[in-house]
Amino acid sequence: MKALILVGGFGTRLRPLTLSVPKPLVDFANKPMILHQIEALKAVGVKEVILAINYRPEVMLNFFKDFEEKLGVKITCSQEMEPMGTAGPLALARDKLVDGSGEPFFVLNSDVVSEYPFAELIAFHKSHGGEATIMVTKVDEPSKYGVVVMEEETGRVERFVEKPKIFVGNKINAGIYLLNPCVLDRIELKPTSIEKEIFPKIASDQGLYAMVLPGFWMDIGQPRDYITGLRLYLDSLRKNSPSKLSKGTHVLGNVLVHESAIIADGCLIGPDVAIGPGCVIEPGVRLSRCSIMKGVKIKKHACISNSIIGWHSTVGQWARIDNMTILGEDVHVGDEVYTNGGVVLPHKEIKSNILKPEIVM
């Protein structure tokens, strides 16, 4: 089987992290976002992954050279010279996707995290015999999204309603699809939306089915959702692989710590924290609801919550970082500095307080 991952462009919503690496390579729970997807695809027998990309393909391919051998998955890029929407990239990669086997292929949005129930998706797709299956997830406020209206018994999709004013359902497109090769015959080589142009046509021909995604789902393409996604992911680890989470008197709730990180005595870590490789956490540090990326040093008695600390940054003694602060790569926050929602570009030194959310160039 094959899979195409829609990587897209610049990842502006996750700046300043995406100033250092393309968005799919930003760490999430101690490994690049996209690696979570590729490992799950490999587990159900996918042998080739195509990355649909229009930004820095050479960085992606260089990164994946090592992983191709380790994972035993062929990884290639299909480069768009102009943005092609969510369906155009499939037409562009047609020659890579179609191999004459007639096997369906996966299409994934690279920002989506879930438990990736791909085996169940394959079984459901084969059982209904339609052209395409989309995964849907239930949300509390469907009026903010495009809602998928489906037959509850069979899963057949009847129609899509964009941002409904009255309640028509609470299931939205989760950005995970399994498509038969014949779907490609419906897509022209031009900028096209799969959600707004292709799926409604398949639905009107009664060939589109939806499966409700079990477990959690989050689009982590922006910081607040990234932190929420981390909480949901760690909750899922607690249920499915609790041995991967840290234990100890210094741990509160769900915490993921890389084996090479060093945490001193007297810290309180958690809930909902990921600490990456090579990090050093000095005595008396308090961390909650945050992601601490590779090579970060956090000095004595610093306090960090609801924030993302980029690679190789330093946080000074008694510093306080809060309210969706994002430090890019190699940022150095001075002792006793307070940052309230600061978004700090890479390679900066912060010596004075950031009292309200702002971007520090």
Side-chain angles (χ1 to χ4, degrees), residues 340-354:
N340 171 30
V343 172
V344 185
L345 272 63
H347 315 299
K348 298 282 175 228
E349 190 169 356
I350 303 297
K351 294 179 178 174
S352 56
N353 295 339
I354 300 172

Side-chain angles (χ1 to χ4, degrees), residues 161-180:
V161 183
E162 194 58 38
K163 297 187 177 169
K165 295 282 183 283
I166 58 167
F167 185 84
V168 291
N170 65 345
K171 298 177 189 75
I172 65 164
N173 181 340
I176 298 171
Y177 320 128
L178 191 56
L179 311 178
N180 288 350

Side-chain angles (χ1 to χ4, degrees), residues 223-225 227 305-308 322-326 340-343:
R224 203 167 290 282
D225 295 337
I227 293 293
S305 68
N306 287 304
S307 297
I308 303 172
D322 199 358
N323 191 25
M324 227 34 79
T325 290
I326 309 173
N340 171 30
V343 172

Side-chain angles (χ1 to χ4, degrees), residues 266-288:
C267 295
L268 186 58
I269 313 290
D272 308 322
V273 174
I275 298 175
C279 290
V280 176
I281 315 295
E282 291 190 355
V285 165
R286 176 74 180 101
L287 304 177
S288 64

Side-chain angles (χ1 to χ4, degrees), residues 134-251:
I134 66 175
M135 294 209 103
V136 294
T137 185
K138 293 179 181 177
V139 291
D140 295 332
E141 289 185 57
S143 60
K144 296 194 320 202
Y145 302 93
V147 171
V148 181
V149 181
M150 58 191 267
E151 283 181 0
E152 293 299 324
E153 307 292 294
T154 62
R156 188 174 66 76
V157 174
E158 295 171 354
R159 60 195 161 93
F160 296 86
V161 183
E162 194 58 38
K163 297 187 177 169
K165 295 282 183 283
I166 58 167
F167 185 84
V168 291
N170 65 345
K171 298 177 189 75
I172 65 164
N173 181 340
I176 298 171
Y177 320 128
L178 191 56
L179 311 178
N180 288 350
C182 62
V183 171
L184 295 170
D185 299 335
R186 296 175 176 269
I187 304 171
E188 294 178 51
L189 186 54
K190 63 176 189 181
T192 314
S193 163
I194 200 165
E195 301 86 357
K196 292 183 178 153
E197 297 173 66
I198 307 303
F199 287 156
K201 287 178 186 166
I202 303 175
S204 68
D205 292 343
Q206 308 208 341
L208 183 65
Y209 287 77
M211 174 182 155
V212 179
L213 181 81
F216 80 99
W217 174 88
M218 200 71 214
D219 177 327
I220 57 170
Q222 52 192 4
R224 203 167 290 282
D225 295 337
Y226 175 106
I227 293 293
T228 302
L230 181 61
R231 172 176 63 78
L232 296 170
Y233 175 84
L234 295 175
D235 278 348
S236 168
L237 272 191
R238 170 72 63 198
K239 287 190 197 90
N240 301 315
S241 309
S243 61
K244 292 182 178 174
L245 294 172
S246 289
K247 300 183 193 69
T249 52
H250 65 293
V251 171

